[in-house]
Amino acid sequence: MTFRLIHCLVFWNSLHSNGHAVSQNGHNPAASPTPKSESQVHSTPPAIVIPREQWGGKYEFLLSCIGYCVGLGNVWRFPYLCYRNGGGVFLIPYFIMLFVTGVPLFLMELSLGQYGAAGPITVWKCCPLLKGIGIGMLCVSTLVCLYYNVIIAWTFYYLFSSFQSPLPWSCNAKANAAFCGNGTTAGNSSMEKTRSPTEIFWNESVLGVVHSEGLHDPGPVRAPLALCLLAAWIIIFLCMLKGIRSSGKVVYVTATFPYFVLVVLIIRGATLEGSLQGVAFYLTPDWSRLANAQVWNDAASQIFYSLGIGVGGLLSMASYNKFDNNVIRDTIIITTGNCCTSFFAGFAIFSILGHMAWRKGVPVGEVADTGPGLAFVAYPEALALLPGSVFWSIMFFLMLFMLGIDTLFGNMEGITTAVLDEFPNLRRNTLHKSMFLGALCFTFYLMGLLLVTNVSLLLFNIINQFCQDIIDMIRHCPPWCSKLLIYFKACWVFGTPFLLMVRTFSIAVDV
């Protein structure tokens, strides 16, 4: 594998060196042309070069990558993993995995895409044997797109429900009078767990899990969720019609607006009774949990899940960069911003969990249900407590929609770029490109209907030369870049393979 990668790097280096070739992203280094004989001129037909789009500016690429990485997982999955793995102790393996595996592999994927100026499949033309890696990326991207848009459909359902006053999951709603303020339970038995209106709305109105006995009884497709899923795919289709030049402008809003809402939620959560209890649970580590292999597995999986490594989105977006873009700087900014956002969002989640635990009189570790729906229980609870809850509910779920759309853009870009690079005529013909994109979105919608039944949540849960080439690509690389590459080289050769091997071995032992 290492030999093949070196072979690819030599191949790309021969293309870019001395200005003898024009890279796919339109850069032609200044150099004198190589003389050709008269027979060569007449025997070789001129190659048709199809122009490749480029980002309108470096900030568009930076914000697009941040939007791709900072997604729904930062809001619901990272706090959920902290919640499941003993609170603050999860931050230790999380940041270890970030610096030893996440950052080096993130740089490797960005560099490969930017240097080759091609999608996940075509970039391996230097070694066709490795095209299977690109095909594997497409398969993973397809699975991610299927279930990720289902989460966006859940978000749409909450967004549309937020236009009601009072909110249907608040204690002010008449249907929730039996569950609020008097300590009664959801059932007749005093031993039954007390459930909040947000849990009831999530499990019954959204998922409908109470109407199914298990995977063998999926029930019919839930019409409201099916319509929300269709609306989500229509928006994805319309936004991707004009490519990266239009989406690069949109990210100026979609990548920054979520931070404003998170700040508001943290400020509101800090004013609630019992919030410090939740924050203490979030930050106080349980050192005994470090001996549990599952904690380390979850940390590694969250790094790969959040950064979007190995699914082709990063590689595809980097392929539209200028050849001399400083990819090391971008890697540090994106990965740091992504993980800091996860840590930042955890305060908003756990401050609300602390308040919910105070109201129910139970420890923080026992409040709410564990699972991907944590944010759809804790956050609506917070929104119902805010003054002007309807307005903030609309803003919050609009934020979740923006987070999801940005990430889905990256995954869809990985799929479309791979296909358009393999069939360049599609890129030239706007109508054919639009028809391909429409067929792709419609196919994904039909496949996603399996995830909007009464068992949707159950289905959701199971579903060294190189361094020199990076310097050549960046050209005017500051001295700190060259020194930092020593760290990345050590990770690529020793740290990252070792940790991935240990994680694979631990998974095999568990099985």
Side-chain angles (χ1 to χ4, degrees):
M1 181 68 178
T2 304
F3 172 78
R4 297 290 185 184
L5 287 174
I6 294 176
H7 174 73
C8 287
L9 294 171
V10 173
F11 176 84
W12 288 118
N13 190 56
S14 66
L15 288 179
H16 290 288
S17 61
N18 300 325
H20 290 171
V22 180
S23 63
Q24 277 190 327
N25 55 359
H27 296 283
N28 186 11
S32 57
T34 304
K36 296 183 179 180
S37 63
E38 184 177 352
S39 60
Q40 287 179 319
V41 173
H42 291 288
S43 62
T44 304
I48 301 177
V49 179
I50 301 176
R52 188 179 184 85
E53 292 179 299
Q54 284 189 355
W55 297 103
K58 62 180 180 180
Y59 295 111
E60 292 185 8
F61 167 72
L62 202 62
L63 288 175
S64 296
C65 284
I66 292 176
Y68 169 69
C69 296
V70 179
L72 295 171
N74 298 77
V75 174
W76 68 261
R77 195 170 190 270
F78 178 82
Y80 156 61
L81 292 178
C82 284
Y83 175 81
R84 192 178 73 175
N85 292 297
V89 71
F90 183 73
L91 299 176
I92 299 175
Y94 178 75
F95 281 103
I96 290 176
M97 291 295 178
L98 168 66
F99 290 112
V100 180
T101 62
V103 175
L105 292 178
F106 194 93
L107 175 62
M108 179 179 288
E109 187 165 346
L110 283 189
S111 302
L112 183 61
Q114 181 173 316
Y115 199 87
I121 297 180
T122 310
V123 75
W124 299 107
K125 62 185 178 182
C126 57
C127 182
L129 182 64
L130 296 183
K131 277 193 173 184
I133 297 177
I135 297 175
M137 287 181 172
L138 260 64
C139 293
V140 175
S141 293
T142 300
L143 294 176
V144 171
C145 287
L146 287 178
Y147 81 81
Y148 212 87
N149 219 14
V150 172
I151 305 177
I152 298 178
W154 295 343
T155 302
F156 260 138
Y157 190 91
Y158 272 90
L159 180 61
F160 296 147
S161 300
S162 298
F163 286 92
Q164 305 177 39
S165 182
L167 294 173
W169 57 81
S170 69
C171 286
N172 295 327
K174 294 181 179 180
N176 299 326
F179 309 107
C180 298
N182 54 8
T184 57
T185 61
N188 295 326
S189 173
S190 60
M191 297 301 293
E192 187 177 350
K193 178 186 175 183
T194 302
R195 294 192 299 165
S196 67
T198 53
E199 293 172 307
I200 296 172
F201 183 82
W202 167 246
N203 290 318
E204 297 183 7
S205 299
V206 180
L207 299 179
V209 294
V210 296
H211 306 299
S212 174
E213 297 178 358
L215 287 175
H216 65 282
D217 181 27
V221 173
R222 297 181 63 80
L225 288 182
L227 292 177
C228 292
L229 184 64
L230 178 61
W233 277 116
I234 290 175
I235 293 175
I236 291 291
F237 170 75
L238 294 177
C239 291
M240 294 194 64
L241 269 179
K242 295 186 177 181
I244 62 170
R245 296 207 172 184
S246 58
S247 62
K249 302 297 186 296
V250 175
V251 294
Y252 282 101
V253 176
T254 59
T256 56
F257 177 76
Y259 290 96
F260 167 72
V261 180
L262 282 177
V263 169
V264 173
L265 289 174
I266 289 178
I267 294 175
R268 176 53 178 160
T271 63
L272 297 174
E273 191 74 27
S275 60
L276 292 180
Q277 180 184 355
V279 173
F281 182 83
Y282 177 48
L283 296 179
T284 304
D286 180 7
W287 298 103
S288 62
R289 297 286 293 171
L290 289 176
N292 191 334
Q294 184 61 41
V295 176
W296 294 85
N297 288 337
D298 286 344
S301 65
Q302 174 61 14
I303 288 297
F304 280 85
Y305 180 89
S306 182
L307 294 179
I309 300 172
V311 297
L314 294 171
L315 193 151
S316 298
M317 288 190 290
S319 69
Y320 298 104
N321 269 339
K322 294 181 179 179
F323 181 71
D324 57 351
N325 177 65
N326 191 335
V327 70
I328 298 180
R329 175 203 60 206
D330 292 347
T331 296
I332 296 175
I333 294 175
I334 296 167
T335 55
T336 303
N338 171 72
C339 294
C340 288
T341 303
S342 297
F343 181 72
F344 186 63
F347 285 95
I349 282 284
F350 279 95
S351 62
I352 302 304
L353 289 180
H355 177 68
M356 294 174 64
W358 174 81
R359 291 184 59 181
K360 294 183 177 183
V362 297
V364 179
E366 297 181 9
V367 74
D369 291 331
T370 58
L374 178 62
F376 293 98
V377 175
Y379 272 88
E381 178 84 9
L383 298 172
L385 298 172
L386 288 172
S389 57
V390 172
F391 170 77
W392 288 112
S393 180
I394 294 173
M395 297 298 288
F396 172 74
F397 288 110
L398 184 61
M399 177 201 73
L400 285 189
F401 169 73
M402 291 181 180
L403 287 173
I405 286 295
D406 281 344
T407 302
L408 204 56
F409 279 161
N411 285 292
M412 289 293 291
E413 191 63 51
I415 299 174
T416 56
T417 299
V419 175
L420 294 178
D421 285 348
E422 286 295 299
F423 304 96
N425 288 333
L426 287 176
R427 193 184 296 275
R428 186 188 305 121
N429 192 311
T430 305
L431 177 60
H432 291 172
K433 179 181 177 181
S434 301
M435 293 176 61
F436 160 71
L437 182 60
L440 183 66
C441 291
F442 184 68
T443 302
F444 283 175
Y445 167 71
L446 294 179
M447 298 174 67
L449 290 177
L450 296 173
L451 299 176
V452 292
T453 60
N454 293 334
V455 294
S456 59
L457 189 60
L458 297 176
L459 294 172
F460 177 82
N461 283 330
I462 55 178
I463 295 239
N464 188 15
Q465 177 63 36
F466 192 74
C467 296
Q468 185 59 47
D469 288 336
I470 296 176
I471 295 177
D472 293 341
M473 178 171 57
I474 298 176
R475 293 183 183 178
H476 305 291
C477 183
W480 61 267
C481 286
S482 302
K483 296 179 181 179
L484 197 59
L485 281 173
I486 299 176
Y487 160 75
F488 289 119
K489 185 187 300 185
C491 289
W492 290 335
V493 176
F494 301 108
T496 304
F498 174 76
L499 279 180
L500 292 177
M501 181 180 66
V502 170
R503 180 172 181 264
T504 304
F505 176 76
S506 65
I507 293 176
V509 171
D510 291 339
V511 173

